Amino acid sequence: MPTTRSGLVTAAVVIGTSTDFLPENSSLSDSIKQNLDLIYDIGAGGLGISLLLIHIYVTEIKQTVQALWALDVLGSLATYTRLAQPAGDNSIQYIIHNPTAVWFVGPSLQH
């Protein structure tokens, strides 16, 4: 299981930062930029699955982390529907331009 999570994290970092290393007019760079919300959603879903499958000896800690993840997901959804979409941005770009919005998504974007 740790290798799976490591692979997911590595893939997310590579995809997320690859636009910095690709030419500006690259179709791959454009595709990644247009699908940032989808990439973020897949990462959040992967984290949620990991939190379901992980074994933690103290049940209360696991439940707390799962509840915080659920709050992050709800905050991300609210940020997208109420703030980013009306502004014509994706969630990631909106939070980059409005750093106080990170309070709505919690630590999910701070990895």
Side-chain angles (χ1 to χ4, degrees), residues 63-96:
Q63 291 171 343
T64 301
V65 173
Q66 289 172 333
L68 290 172
W69 171 82
L71 285 174
D72 288 348
V73 169
L74 291 174
S76 296
L77 183 61
T79 299
Y80 176 72
T81 57
R82 301 287 182 162
L83 301 172
Q85 197 174 32
D89 261 339
N90 62 46
S91 299
I92 308 288
Q93 292 299 323
Y94 183 83
I95 293 169
I96 289 171

Side-chain angles (χ1 to χ4, degrees), residues 2-87:
T3 56
T4 304
R5 283 192 298 267
S6 300
L8 288 172
V9 170
T10 302
V13 169
V14 168
I15 290 171
T17 60
S18 63
T19 57
D20 293 336
F21 300 107
L22 294 170
E24 283 291 321
N25 56 359
S26 165
S27 62
L28 180 59
S29 177
D30 292 339
S31 176
I32 290 171
K33 287 177 184 176
Q34 290 173 354
N35 293 305
L36 280 176
D37 283 327
L38 176 63
I39 294 167
Y40 174 75
D41 293 342
I42 291 170
L47 179 59
I49 291 170
S50 293
L51 289 173
L52 284 175
L53 299 175
I54 193 170
H55 176 71
I56 298 176
Y57 288 106
V58 182
T59 304
E60 293 81 10
I61 293 174
K62 181 178 179 178
Q63 291 171 343
T64 301
V65 173
Q66 289 172 333
L68 290 172
W69 171 82
L71 285 174
D72 288 348
V73 169
L74 291 174
S76 296
L77 183 61
T79 299
Y80 176 72
T81 57
R82 301 287 182 162
L83 301 172
Q85 197 174 32

